[in-house]
Amino acid sequence: MNTLAYGGPGPGPWTLLFPLVWAAAILTIVTVARRAGWRGRPGLWRPPVDERSPLAVLGRRFAAGEIDEEEYWRRISVLEEHFGRSNLTGSRKGAA
């Protein structure tokens, strides 16, 4: 251990840092690749939304200008009150 700490003919104390640098580099690459959609599936923060779900229909109507912002928020609150947030995203079990 004295060889690593005090110079001499050994590789030096910085040799102990190289595995940590490589681990940090690999972890960074994997994290960036996963956030960029490397696996081809949406991440946990973006659940898939069915195009026929009430939220998707309401969002399209708002984007097209058929309803105003006040009407949009009023209808969102009614949908959440009656169905709950999890049922609005189109993740109905057993639906054909």
Side-chain angles (χ1 to χ4, degrees):
M1 191 68 182
N2 285 338
T3 303
L4 285 176
Y6 298 110
W14 299 108
T15 303
L16 300 175
L17 286 177
F18 284 125
L20 295 176
V21 170
W22 279 109
I26 291 170
L27 184 67
T28 301
I29 290 170
V30 168
T31 302
V32 168
R34 288 191 68 184
R35 288 188 181 259
W38 172 37
R39 296 189 180 193
R41 63 179 170 89
L44 297 175
W45 58 92
R46 288 182 285 162
V49 177
D50 184 17
E51 292 297 320
R52 298 172 301 178
S53 72
L55 280 180
V57 172
L58 190 60
R60 280 196 303 273
R61 289 189 64 200
F62 178 63
E66 295 176 19
I67 57 175
D68 61 349
E69 185 177 2
E70 181 180 324
E71 179 74 11
Y72 174 77
W73 288 113
R74 187 175 63 78
R75 290 182 183 213
I76 284 284
S77 65
V78 169
L79 286 172
E80 287 178 347
E81 181 180 317
H82 287 292
F83 299 108
R85 189 73 174 168
S86 62
N87 289 337
L88 292 176
T89 58
S91 59
R92 295 172 294 198
K93 293 182 179 177

